[in-house]
Amino acid sequence: MSDTLPPWPQVPACYGWLSLDGRGRWRLKAETITHPGLIAFLNAHYTTDDDGCWFVNNGPQRVYVQLDSAPWILRLQPDGRFVTHAGRPAAIEGPIYLDGEGRVFMRTDAGPAALDDRDLAMLIAELRDAAERPADDASLAALLDGRDTGLNWHGQALVFLGNETAATRLGFIADPCPPEPAPGA
């Protein structure tokens, strides 16, 4: 009897079934997943490929995730720390980005992330200008006009994305698609 396990069967990757919304909720075919065990499984097996597509390893199958916002959704804690939707601590690496829809994105040690919109007011309340004064409406409006305002959050610069998407700036694929079949296939 052999001590080796048989190889996994070849199964196609799955697209268009699993998504992650802007508040870190998993959805299966647009229905929010609420089963704690399934959520724990998804969080534990969530990863990325070299192309910036995020997926869940389901045994031999990759189930690619459509991202409504970013691969990781962050909750801002009262002490200024960030925690991902999966409960993992995350540290910011570089500037914080604001898009035209008022969403906040950042690069973290966990990967590309977006701030849960429920924590936006807490983050804005802690924004400071170059003189360490609280941000005001005029400085936020100037930022949205594309002007450098010197706004920062705990020393991390706040940068307006303009026409660039967070996916482009942070290097992830928001809506993975199956590869095109080879000609003649």
Side-chain angles (χ1 to χ4, degrees):
M1 185 159 165
S2 172
D3 288 338
T4 61
L5 294 172
W8 283 106
Q10 293 291 340
V11 294
C14 182
Y15 296 87
W17 284 77
L18 187 61
S19 62
L20 183 69
D21 75 10
R23 290 189 169 175
R25 295 176 295 218
W26 291 104
R27 295 183 315 220
L28 187 60
K29 283 304 222 181
E31 294 292 325
T32 301
I33 297 170
T34 58
H35 189 279
L38 181 52
I39 293 168
F41 175 86
L42 295 171
N43 289 339
H45 295 91
Y46 185 50
T47 189
T48 187
D49 65 17
D50 293 337
D51 296 324
C53 295
W54 288 75
F55 64 92
V56 171
N57 271 319
N58 182 26
Q61 185 177 47
R62 286 184 174 186
V63 180
Y64 283 91
V65 179
Q66 180 182 5
L67 305 167
D68 288 358
S69 189
W72 295 104
I73 305 303
L74 301 178
R75 294 303 313 261
L76 177 56
Q77 305 302 296
D79 64 2
R81 293 177 306 109
F82 290 99
V83 176
T84 70
H85 65 273
R88 174 184 173 177
I92 299 175
E93 297 177 344
I96 296 172
Y97 301 101
L98 179 67
D99 76 0
E101 296 177 31
R103 298 180 301 174
V104 171
F105 298 89
M106 57 204 81
R107 187 177 315 281
T108 73
D109 59 350
L115 182 67
D116 185 311
D117 65 339
R118 295 171 287 191
D119 295 337
L120 185 59
M122 188 171 22
L123 184 127
I124 289 174
E126 295 180 4
L127 288 176
R128 299 291 180 261
D129 66 14
E132 290 302 313
R133 295 178 300 234
D136 58 16
D137 290 344
S139 60
L140 287 168
L143 179 69
L144 293 172
D145 282 341
R147 290 181 272 157
D148 182 11
T149 61
L151 290 177
N152 71 84
W153 182 84
H154 296 271
Q156 301 291 336
L158 182 63
V159 177
F160 183 57
L161 284 173
N163 293 328
E164 188 176 16
T165 67
T168 299
R169 176 64 65 99
L170 298 175
F172 64 90
I173 307 296
D175 191 8
C177 297
E180 295 289 326

